[in-house]
Amino acid sequence: MQRRILGLVTAVLTVACAAGCGSSSAGTDGSSSSGGNKTAQVKVGIIPIVDVAPLYLGQKKGFFSSRGIELEMESAQGGAAIIPGVVSGQFQFGFSNTTSLMLAQTRGVPVKSVVNGATTTGNTTTDVTGVAVKKDSPIRSAKDLAGKKVAVNTLKNIGDTTVRESVRKDGGDPSKVKFVEIPFDQMPAALDGGRVDAAWMGEPAQTIAKSQGARVVTSPFAETDPRLTLATYFTTTRLTKENPDLVKKFTEAMTESLEYASEHPDEARQILTVYTKIDSEVMEKLTLPDWPTQVDMPSLEKLASLGEQDGIFGDKKPDLDALFS
């Protein structure tokens, strides 16, 4: 596990150096195409989950094109995979859970959050993520996950950190949970097939699993903090300095997209058909996250504290003001 994390960090730092030492180009930072009346070609690394619906909805409504931005989205398994893509210039912006961004920053990776992405609903019964088990599983609550195999989309991240907190709050031993890495879209099948005892799922995987008879035993995000900021859109510190106009326009467009999605949840649901394979029945039942335009700093401070407790950040502590303010 530790070798895997160190390998990822080394790769990110390598591409960070390459990006920082190389010359500026349109493919790296979009600077040559964002000036004047030209259209900026912008790639965004995303995870194909409901959380990014505002981005696609904003693209459809013209919030980006009206600001001279032509978007292209590319899917990845999680924030830990998207961050190297942003730093290397493969993407100009990315969507990442906040723990991945904190980890990257403590390792010297030059990233900067530019706008909120998604927040928990705060509902501990029905939230945007949940730990699901098979219908006949003996697991009844979070504490029962101790000693069990639990799927998360990426290891040493926001999923296992918040799951541990749920187990801890329920009186179980969080150190005994056995986490395995499985992509969200493969979790329903992995759970149904008995490859894991439980799975921490985002939407639409959570609703798909429920349709197959699974039941949710804990909602880690809402139980960790009812206002928890889950993910944000980010870029490199280099881009914020070399092309602040592009960053400003992207942030403005994304803010408008978040506001629109919050006010038009039916349209947010419908846009899911553009980038996920879900049927209409699942689409109507799944839980949407909250999409405020601002991050909640107290919740991020709590998440950072839990990450420190889990040993995710090593000897360094994330500078939340520098990363998220």
Side-chain angles (χ1 to χ4, degrees), residues 1-321:
M1 169 68 69
Q2 206 60 24
R3 290 194 189 96
R4 181 181 180 279
I5 296 298
L6 289 173
L8 172 62
V9 170
T10 300
V12 173
L13 289 173
T14 298
V15 296
C17 179
C21 298
S23 61
S24 176
S25 68
T28 300
D29 59 23
S31 59
S32 68
S33 58
S34 64
N37 296 319
K38 293 183 180 179
T39 298
Q41 309 291 325
V42 172
K43 282 189 176 182
V44 185
I46 58 96
I47 312 168
I49 54 178
V50 300
D51 304 51
V52 298
L55 178 67
Y56 285 87
L57 191 55
Q59 180 189 45
K60 179 181 178 181
K61 303 304 291 188
F63 301 152
F64 291 91
S65 60
S66 67
R67 292 174 171 87
I69 295 176
E70 182 177 327
L71 288 180
E72 179 182 345
M73 275 70 94
E74 189 168 324
S75 296
Q77 184 168 328
I82 294 171
I83 290 171
V86 172
V87 175
S88 69
Q90 178 185 355
F91 314 124
Q92 280 71 53
F93 298 91
F95 176 88
S96 172
N97 74 79
T98 47
T99 296
S100 283
L101 292 175
M102 292 179 199
L103 174 59
Q105 189 207 52
T106 60
R107 297 298 187 265
V109 181
V111 290
K112 171 69 176 177
S113 173
V114 296
V115 64
N116 194 34
T119 300
T120 175
T121 64
N123 189 328
T124 57
T125 301
T126 305
D127 197 16
V128 69
T129 70
V131 178
V133 299
K134 293 182 72 171
K135 184 178 181 179
D136 59 353
S137 171
I139 299 172
R140 294 294 167 183
S141 67
K143 67 180 179 181
D144 297 330
L145 295 172
K148 301 297 190 296
K149 188 183 293 186
V150 181
V152 291
N153 68 319
T154 53
L155 296 168
K156 288 275 188 178
N157 224 296
I158 192 170
D160 47 28
T161 292
T162 54
V163 170
R164 285 193 187 95
E165 177 66 357
S166 291
V167 173
R168 186 181 294 114
K169 283 187 170 182
D170 197 37
D173 185 348
S175 68
K176 295 189 179 301
V177 182
K178 304 171 184 176
F179 292 102
V180 295
E181 186 173 282
I182 298 176
F184 280 130
D185 61 355
Q186 296 178 25
M187 287 186 188
L191 180 63
D192 192 54
R195 288 170 52 197
V196 292
D197 300 305
W200 171 74
M201 302 186 195
E203 293 284 22
Q206 181 180 196
T207 296
I208 292 172
K210 287 179 181 178
S211 71
Q212 298 172 348
R215 53 185 173 81
V216 173
V217 295
T218 184
S219 299
F221 283 162
E223 289 164 5
T224 296
D225 191 297
R227 295 174 58 87
L228 184 63
T229 295
L230 312 177
T232 65
Y233 292 89
F234 72 99
T235 188
T236 60
T237 54
R238 179 188 180 208
L239 187 61
T240 64
K241 296 174 182 176
E242 294 187 355
N243 203 336
D245 184 56
L246 177 63
V247 175
K248 180 175 181 288
K249 288 178 179 178
F250 179 87
T251 300
E252 290 175 346
M254 195 63 238
T255 297
E256 188 174 4
S257 300
L258 292 167
E259 291 172 341
Y260 190 88
S262 296
E263 296 168 359
H264 302 82
D266 290 341
E267 290 186 51
R269 287 180 188 277
Q270 190 61 44
I271 203 70
L272 297 175
T273 59
V274 172
Y275 65 97
T276 64
K277 297 178 181 179
I278 59 175
D279 58 38
S280 58
E281 185 176 351
V282 171
M283 184 173 64
E284 292 301 320
K285 292 181 178 179
L286 57 78
T287 301
L288 298 176
D290 284 352
W291 288 304
T293 58
Q294 301 295 322
V295 301
D296 184 83
M297 288 301 289
S299 75
L300 290 174
E301 290 167 2
K302 184 171 186 178
L303 189 62
S305 178
L306 291 173
E308 292 171 30
Q309 186 174 334
D310 288 342
I312 290 178
F313 307 128
D315 297 331
K316 290 188 176 181
K317 293 184 179 182
D319 184 343
L320 301 185
D321 288 333

